[in-house]
Amino acid sequence: MAETATKKPATGRRKTAVARVRLIAGSGRHTVNNRVPVEYFKRETLVTAAFHALTVVNAVGKYDVSARVHGGGLTGQAGALRMALARALAREDESQRGLLGREGLLTRDARMKERKKYGQPGARKRFQFSKR
């Protein structure tokens, strides 16, 4: 069995997407929900964004990444995976935390969909006002 780099999974969130990542010292194989990342995310730009933390700390071929993502859409899941991976790398090597932080990878993107309010058709939209 391969030596596990992180004892417990690192979690990342964006919008309503949640990603849990396990880093395993290895050859650089990546899986997202037991699939190849390009096959899962469908767009190369999302894969690049999701695994950006590995390129920042020059650890592209050093770790096998096993990720479980759910909720939201593909872009939100890629953002959640990006944060989870950065957190896992920061936990693995504390000296990389500053580099990952400067790159903005450890900051949670707090933008969420605003809830619909009662008595209105949407979050901000109002029913048409009639004076008479």
Side-chain angles (χ1 to χ4, degrees):
M1 190 167 106
E3 183 184 323
T4 304
T6 54
K7 280 78 181 168
K8 64 182 219 180
T11 306
R13 293 182 183 89
R14 180 169 189 272
K15 293 191 174 182
T16 57
V18 179
R20 290 193 335 250
V21 166
R22 283 193 187 274
L23 281 183
I24 303 163
S27 59
R29 290 183 52 232
H30 307 317
T31 59
V32 179
N33 289 355
N34 297 321
R35 287 159 62 185
V36 180
V38 179
E39 181 186 309
Y40 183 80
F41 286 119
K42 298 179 178 61
R43 292 197 300 270
E44 189 62 43
T45 54
L46 291 179
V47 175
T48 306
F51 293 97
H52 180 62
L54 288 172
T55 58
V56 168
V57 297
N58 295 324
V60 174
K62 296 178 184 171
Y63 296 107
D64 292 342
V65 177
S66 175
R68 302 288 292 168
V69 294
H70 68 274
L74 291 179
T75 305
Q77 287 180 353
L81 178 56
R82 176 177 162 157
M83 182 184 196
L85 195 54
R87 282 181 169 178
L89 288 167
R91 185 184 294 168
E92 179 64 25
D93 185 9
E94 278 296 321
S95 64
Q96 302 290 351
R97 181 173 283 280
L99 187 61
L100 291 165
R102 277 193 297 280
E103 203 66 30
L105 298 173
L106 297 173
T107 306
R108 163 84 156 92
D109 187 354
R111 294 176 296 175
M112 302 276 279
K113 183 178 177 181
E114 191 174 331
R115 71 181 277 287
K116 179 197 172 296
K117 278 58 160 210
Y118 59 87
Q120 298 174 202
R124 301 274 175 110
K125 191 175 181 184
R126 303 282 195 260
F127 288 116
Q128 184 171 351
F129 175 73
S130 175
K131 200 169 200 177
R132 287 178 190 82

